[in-house]
């Protein structure tokens, strides 16, 4: 399974909600949290756009940001959305 990267910041309720839903997936998807406020370049790039979900780079494939996830998606619907985005 490809690792997902969740660009987030502390105190962001949307970020926390998406993290919770991703961690509840069955089977679980590998997930790494990246706090954009720990890196000025990430802070400039993402600003207030968090949460941003991306697929980690692997081999010849670069990091790929995914479209914004609807906060209404959870469980099987979120899994189906990830599969539609090419995340296995």
């Amino acid at each position: 399974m490809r690792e997902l990267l969740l660009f987030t910041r502390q105190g962001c309720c949307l970020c926390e909600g998406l993290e919770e839903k991703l961690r509840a997936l069955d089977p679980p998807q590998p997930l790494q949290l990246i706090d954009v406020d720990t890196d000025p370049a990430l802070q400039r790039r993402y600003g207030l756009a968090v949460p941003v979900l991306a697929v980690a780079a692997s081999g010849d494939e670069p990091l790929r940001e995914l479209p914004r996830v609807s906060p209404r998606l959870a469980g099987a619907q979120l899994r189906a959305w990830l599969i539609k985005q090419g995340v296995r």
Side-chain angles (χ1 to χ4, degrees), residues 4-39:
L4 294 176
L5 306 176
L6 180 58
F7 293 91
T8 183
R9 69 172 23 100
Q10 290 185 2
C12 170
C13 62
L14 292 174
C15 300
E16 292 165 358
L18 181 54
E19 177 188 359
E20 183 179 311
K21 291 171 185 176
L22 289 167
R23 292 205 186 276
L25 289 175
D26 186 27
Q29 188 80 32
L31 179 65
Q32 178 184 353
L33 301 180
I34 301 171
D35 186 340
V36 299
D37 292 328
T38 62
D39 181 328

